[in-house]
Amino acid sequence: MANGSFSVEDRSAAGFSGKITASVVITCVVAASSGLIFGYDIGITGGVTTMIPFLEKFFPSILRKAAMAKTNIYCIYDSQVLTAFTSSLYIAGLAASLVASRLTAAVGRKNTMVLGGCTFFLGTVLNSSAVNITMLILGRVLLGFGVGFTNQATPLYLSEIAPPKWRGAFGTGFQFFIGIGVVASNCINFGAAKLSWGWRLSLGLAVAPSVLMTLGSLLITDTPSSLVERGKTEQARQALIKVRGTNENTEAEFADLIKATEVNKAAQKEPFMTILERQYRPHLVMAIAIPFFQQVTGINIIAFYAPILFQSVGFGNDSALIAAIILGLVNLFSILCSTAMVDRYGRRFLFITGGILMFTCQVMVAIVLAATTGVSGNKQISKGYAALVLVLMCVYAAGFGWSWGPLSWLIPSEIFPIKVRPTGQSISIAVNFATTFVLSQTFLTMLCHLKFSTFLFYGGWIAVMTIFVVVFLPETKGIPLDSMYAVWEEHWYWRRFVGAKPKTNLG
């Protein structure tokens, strides 16, 4: 066992599955709380952009457009400057993700999370005190750097620290805290909307999750994999014993970490060139496809613009904010369902069932809007049909919450060998931010021109991605990170790229 040559089954039997200890629970909860800042920002933006004082100060043209008697309901908020306020965070996050892989490798997962929290804090201060568009956008850029760093480091941290048997459940924790952030921000928006300075309060209260996650990150240890990678072997051994709760069987797991690091150093290359090699083709495809598909579900766009969307289809301002809260709560509950099911039924089952549900709801929303608002979008939807749209969007959010929400963070963080793990995660985050930027920058214009067909656009992508999962995604449930090569060797398509490898090759 000391030589590290285990089959997947042998590793589980030898204790690689680990136990759930108080230490690993506390550590993973603290790390996953990094998702709060991302979720808070996703939820707060849409509500703030419906507040009259905010629009009067920064976007008065939107108020003038809304006052026009015959405005197309889909086009009220069609403003490139307004969408730049939202999407500037994501172009900054994209830039941050391109350097984050080197950062997480050089200073560790924990320190990268701390840096992200501090940067997000500075962006919050600038946003809440903004007196012009320039300050708003600069604040958003700093928020983007903060989110870019934490989104890179946190999923890696959770995958590396969690016992393999329960890695799926712990991995969903990041999305769960994103969901908490969304719900909390929507509740804050509902209360703040009644104040003339409410938009400053909503933007400023982002300091709370940033301080919470930064202080928490300072108190936890880095992952054994990261410590070994940086030559801190004794610290890595102690960290592994602490999170596993016992010396028993940790030596075999620790030996694998050392072996993987030695293989990595022996074949050290430029990581962005290494991941282009044929044997990493399936990993690279997943690093690009999964975050891309997550965003073309349309979920983040709907989360950004939920209050605007609900106002557009007939809700009043308060009702739209309440509807956004309901949407967030449904999503949060469904993430808990995913946590309970992901290590029992597997990743593929959740992906497929969630995809079918989301596709059905998107098509039905398009049908309802087409039938009630007309092709031109000049008719006002009745309250009854507006409520039906909300119900359909809640079912859609539930489907996302137990599938593409948490699993899109989990899968890229667990499939890569250690030598390309930070690089693969960096590519995944970059694709996520790039796609989100394009979609958020174009959504309101798309809604204006495509009207109800916007939802058919997203429904089509959901159909494509569900078929992709059925055909190309192998099951990774319960497999130790350093045994993950087996899932590619056994897959009907990907084995032609990976080929048979000796079981001792952990790289």
Side-chain angles (χ1 to χ4, degrees):
M1 295 174 66
N3 64 7
S5 57
F6 294 89
S7 68
V8 172
E9 294 78 10
D10 290 338
R11 291 169 187 267
S12 296
F16 277 66
S17 59
K19 300 189 303 182
I20 296 181
T21 63
S23 177
V24 78
V25 170
I26 293 171
T27 301
C28 286
V29 168
V30 170
S33 69
S34 297
L36 284 172
I37 62 174
F38 191 29
Y40 188 93
D41 184 82
I42 289 173
I44 211 71
T45 307
V48 165
T49 52
T50 65
M51 295 181 185
I52 301 301
F54 178 82
L55 294 174
E56 286 177 341
K57 185 171 184 63
F58 298 107
F59 306 101
S61 62
I62 291 176
L63 292 178
R64 291 193 296 270
K65 190 184 298 185
M68 294 173 61
K70 295 183 179 180
T71 297
N72 184 318
I73 66 168
Y74 294 107
C75 298
I76 293 174
Y77 291 93
D78 182 17
S79 165
Q80 288 301 303
V81 181
L82 178 62
T83 50
F85 167 68
T86 298
S87 60
S88 55
L89 180 145
Y90 297 95
I91 198 67
L94 169 62
S97 66
L98 296 177
V99 300
S101 64
R102 296 183 186 277
L103 195 64
T104 52
V107 304
R109 288 45 162 161
K110 165 188 169 177
N111 292 330
T112 304
M113 288 189 285
V114 172
L115 177 61
C118 293
T119 309
F120 192 91
F121 177 87
L122 294 176
T124 297
V125 173
L126 195 58
N127 256 186
S128 60
S129 60
V131 295
N132 52 49
I133 291 290
T134 301
M135 287 184 69
L136 272 182
I137 300 300
L138 286 177
R140 296 289 294 171
V141 168
L142 287 174
L143 296 179
F145 276 104
V147 170
F149 291 142
T150 55
N151 285 12
Q152 161 77 10
T154 304
L156 283 182
Y157 188 99
L158 294 172
S159 283
E160 291 178 348
I161 209 78
K165 184 178 179 181
W166 306 104
R167 188 174 60 245
F170 283 106
T172 61
F174 183 61
Q175 182 69 29
F176 179 71
F177 275 97
I178 290 176
I180 291 177
V182 170
V183 172
S185 59
N186 284 330
C187 292
I188 289 169
N189 275 338
F190 180 71
K194 298 173 175 59
L195 305 172
S196 61
W197 46 277
W199 65 272
R200 292 193 186 275
L201 178 65
S202 290
L203 295 176
L205 284 177
V207 299
S210 65
V211 170
L212 179 65
M213 62 81 53
T214 303
L215 293 178
S217 298
L218 288 170
L219 298 176
I220 59 178
T221 184
D222 213 337
T223 69
S225 294
S226 179
L227 291 168
V228 168
E229 189 177 20
R230 291 180 287 140
K232 301 179 179 182
T233 54
E234 188 54 38
Q235 289 184 39
R237 185 193 303 273
Q238 295 305 315
L240 187 60
I241 292 172
K242 182 178 180 181
V243 296
R244 297 293 180 255
T246 176
N247 286 315
E248 184 182 358
N249 293 323
T250 56
E251 283 303 314
E253 186 174 355
F254 184 71
D256 269 9
L257 291 177
I258 298 295
K259 178 70 174 179
T261 303
E262 290 174 351
V263 171
N264 180 27
K265 289 181 178 178
Q268 193 67 47
K269 297 180 182 178
E270 166 58 43
F272 279 97
M273 295 302 296
T274 301
I275 203 170
L276 295 177
E277 294 176 1
R278 181 179 175 83
Q279 62 181 312
Y280 299 119
R281 191 69 48 78
H283 309 76
L284 181 60
V285 169
M286 295 302 165
I288 295 171
I290 288 178
F292 172 79
F293 283 143
Q294 184 199 43
Q295 291 309 310
V296 293
T297 62
I299 187 66
N300 274 354
I301 305 306
I302 290 168
F304 298 150
Y305 300 114
I308 292 175
L309 178 64
F310 288 127
Q311 276 193 352
S312 294
V313 297
F315 288 85
N317 187 51
D318 285 351
S319 298
L321 291 173
I322 292 173
I325 293 172
I326 294 171
L327 202 64
L329 287 171
V330 169
N331 181 62
L332 192 61
F333 176 76
S334 65
I335 295 169
L336 289 176
C337 294
S338 177
T339 301
M341 294 189 296
V342 65
D343 290 312
R344 174 171 295 186
Y345 299 105
R347 283 64 160 152
R348 282 169 52 86
F349 173 79
L350 297 183
F351 267 133
I352 294 167
T353 55
I356 293 171
L357 200 59
M358 287 190 293
F359 172 79
T360 303
C361 290
Q362 290 283 47
V363 172
M364 291 182 68
V365 167
I367 292 172
V368 171
L369 291 179
T372 55
T373 65
V375 176
S376 64
N378 289 325
K379 298 179 182 178
Q380 285 296 320
I381 187 172
S382 69
K383 289 185 178 181
Y385 282 112
L388 176 59
V389 170
L390 174 59
V391 170
L392 290 171
M393 294 311 300
C394 284
V395 177
Y396 162 85
F400 179 85
W402 75 54
S403 61
W404 285 90
L407 299 184
S408 296
W409 300 107
L410 173 62
I411 297 295
S413 71
E414 69 180 2
I415 62 173
F416 293 101
I418 190 170
K419 70 163 68 174
V420 293
R421 192 173 297 155
T423 305
Q425 181 71 4
S426 177
I427 292 172
S428 178
I429 299 301
V431 172
N432 187 297
F433 280 132
T435 310
T436 307
F437 170 75
V438 172
L439 293 178
S440 61
Q441 189 65 33
T442 59
F443 174 72
L444 293 178
T445 300
M446 184 186 301
L447 185 64
C448 179
H449 289 86
L450 296 183
K451 305 176 180 63
F452 62 86
S453 299
T454 302
F455 298 93
L456 294 178
F457 170 82
Y458 289 120
W461 277 112
I462 293 170
V464 170
M465 59 203 257
T466 303
I467 295 171
F468 176 86
V469 167
V470 171
V471 177
F472 292 112
L473 183 68
E475 182 56 65
T476 56
K477 178 185 71 173
I479 300 174
L481 293 181
D482 52 15
S483 298
M484 200 63 70
Y485 54 80
V487 304
W488 308 110
E489 292 176 352
E490 296 167 5
H491 189 271
W492 71 272
Y493 180 75
W494 297 124
R495 63 189 177 196
R496 71 188 66 186
F497 296 98
V498 176
K501 285 186 177 183
K503 294 299 183 183
T504 54
N505 186 354
L506 304 178

